[in-house]
Each structure stands twice: as structure tokens, then as C-alpha cells.
Amino acid sequence: MSQSLARALQILVSLGEGDRSLDQLATELDVHKTTVLRLLRTMEVEHFVRRDDAHRYRLGSRLFSLADAAREQHVVRAVAAPHLRQLNQRTGQTVHLAAYENGQVIYIDKLDSVQSVRMYSQIGVPAALHCTAVGKILLAAQPKRQREALLTTIEYRQFTPNTITEPDALRDELDLVRSQGWAHDRAEHESFINCIGAPIKERSGRVVGAVSVSVPDVLLNYEQVLELLPDLLTTTAAIGADYN
């Protein structure tokens, strides 16, 4: 582990036990105060720590949002697990569960296809917002102001000839996603993969996650993948019901 990262994590653990002065943190880490101050300044800018008027350091507000996201992702993953297994067994295809976190869509669970073909997606890795089904679902679910801000900051990397590469085109796509209640990735992220995704909604209608089914075109073509949509929608509805 990076020495700086290890020290930053040790600072967070120490502050979790109570506020600390710069001198106290330097003593606990057994390093010079300038080293600790350099870390604290970076962490303060990112709101992981805050300094009060007495120049004592405490945990920052960023940790509250991360804790909330971690808690919600854990709940969604636990509730969704049996439904994802059933969907995976019924379709025989790769199933993903994703959640939105601080401007990113993260894969939080994955069940591989029963076929020999494997996808490169990994749990804990972000999904591209502009060209994956789960990315479109969770981006479409964000409040308009936040969604518009994200549309201007996305790196519109072109993965395949089908990838959306402009904000206006993605905006139109997201309007369609919200109206129809599901999204597709028609060989947009990987040229040989078709994917469909749907939102998980709690009782209030808030979207708490997204589920997708991804299939290589050597197994099913796009039209055949669309035939799995009713099963996918049934699954996300069942997860939403249990989540409540």
C-alpha cells in the first residue's frame, strides 16, 4: 500500500475516535508535522476532514455521503441476491447489479453466464455512463440539474461505432429511457455484446439500483436479447418490492 495512503487512512481511523490536533496526529503517525499537514490539507479540500476554530481536526462531511452510499449498496445487494440468482439461472446469461455513487455508476454484483463466454466487467469497477445499460438507467434517474451537469463532464469515449459521443444524443437517449422504463446497450461498449437494463425502484419511486442482462452476439442477437426484457422487468419489480 502507498505510504501516503496508509497514513491518510490512519488519520481517518484516529479521527473516528475523536478530534485531534496536528501535533497529536503527528505523534500517532510518528512522522513530522509537515507530512501530516500536507495530507490533511488534501483531505480537507475533498471534505474528508474538517478543521474547527480551535485548529482541531474532525471527520468531514464527505464520509457521511460515502457511509450512506455504502449502507444502501449493501442493502440493495443483499435484497437483490436471490432474485439475481434466479434471473441468471432462468436466462443463463451474465447479470449485473449496479448502483450510483458520487457521479459514478459502480458494479456491486455480477453473476457470470453459464456459457463459456466471460465478460470483463468487475465488481467495484465503474460502468461507462454514456454507453452501458446500467449507466443510462442510473444517469436518467438523477435530478435534472445533476444530470445536466454530468452530461457536460462525461468523457464521451468511443468504444465502438455505436457508442454515443455527444451530450445531445445522450440527452435524447435518457429521455427515451425514462419514458420506456428500461435501457439498452446495443454493441455500444463492446462490439460483440448486447445488453438490456432496468431500474430498481423503492416504494417512493426513487431508483436505488439497476440490473442488466448482457449477452454476446454469438449466443443471442439483439432481437433475442430483447425477448428477455419481461423477465428482467419482473426481476427488478420483485427486488423493489422486497427492498421496501
Side-chain angles (χ1 to χ4, degrees):
M1 182 185 294
S2 161
Q3 191 174 52
S4 294
L5 175 58
R7 287 169 176 166
L9 292 174
Q10 189 175 344
I11 288 172
L12 292 177
V13 171
S14 294
L15 296 182
E17 297 171 355
D19 61 355
R20 296 284 196 277
S21 68
L22 176 60
D23 287 339
Q24 287 174 314
L25 289 170
T27 299
E28 290 181 13
L29 270 65
D30 193 25
V31 295
H32 196 274
K33 287 192 294 185
T34 56
T35 299
V36 180
L37 184 59
R38 186 168 58 251
L39 291 171
L40 286 169
R41 283 174 174 168
T42 300
M43 297 167 74
E44 190 173 6
V45 167
E46 298 297 330
H47 304 291
F48 284 103
V49 303
R50 62 184 178 88
R51 183 180 52 173
D52 63 20
D53 293 339
H55 300 286
R56 296 184 68 81
Y57 290 88
R58 305 171 186 271
L59 293 178
S61 59
R62 181 74 176 274
L63 292 168
F64 291 113
S65 62
L66 288 177
D68 287 342
R71 187 181 304 112
E72 184 163 280
Q73 288 183 18
H74 176 75
V75 172
V76 171
R77 192 171 191 263
V79 171
H83 299 285
L84 299 182
R85 285 195 299 270
Q86 292 172 14
L87 180 63
N88 175 251
Q89 291 167 0
R90 288 195 302 269
T91 64
Q93 307 301 335
T94 300
V95 173
H96 291 104
L97 174 66
Y100 182 85
E101 178 184 322
N102 294 319
Q104 291 187 315
V105 169
I106 308 294
Y107 291 116
I108 60 174
D109 206 354
K110 176 186 177 183
L111 285 77
D112 282 314
S113 166
V114 298
Q115 310 294 332
S116 58
V117 180
R118 292 290 183 268
M119 296 186 61
Y120 295 112
S121 53
Q122 294 180 319
I123 296 173
V125 174
L129 292 173
H130 65 299
C131 59
T132 62
V134 292
K136 294 175 187 177
I137 286 290
L138 293 171
L139 180 55
Q142 300 312 305
K144 184 176 181 179
R145 180 177 297 180
Q146 188 171 346
R147 187 171 66 246
E148 287 296 320
L150 287 168
L151 285 172
T152 64
T153 59
I154 290 174
E155 178 186 355
Y156 290 88
R157 178 181 171 187
Q158 185 166 8
F159 293 93
T160 78
N162 294 339
T163 304
I164 294 173
T165 58
E166 296 179 354
D168 286 343
L170 182 56
R171 187 178 290 108
D172 290 343
E173 180 85 353
L174 298 179
D175 288 342
L176 177 62
V177 168
R178 284 193 299 277
S179 66
Q180 69 185 10
W182 60 276
H184 72 185
D185 158 11
R186 190 170 185 177
E188 296 171 46
H189 188 246
E190 296 179 84
S191 60
F192 59 96
I193 298 289
N194 290 304
C195 179
I196 51 174
I200 300 170
K201 296 182 180 181
E202 64 169 1
R203 185 177 292 112
S204 69
R206 183 173 66 98
V207 174
V208 296
V211 178
S212 68
V213 178
S214 303
V215 190
D217 56 16
V218 296
L219 299 177
L220 298 175
N221 61 34
Y222 175 72
E223 287 70 25
Q224 290 171 315
V225 173
L226 286 183
E227 293 176 4
L228 304 176
L229 183 59
D231 206 352
L232 172 62
L233 295 174
T234 297
T235 297
T236 53
I239 297 170
D242 284 355
Y243 184 87
N244 296 316

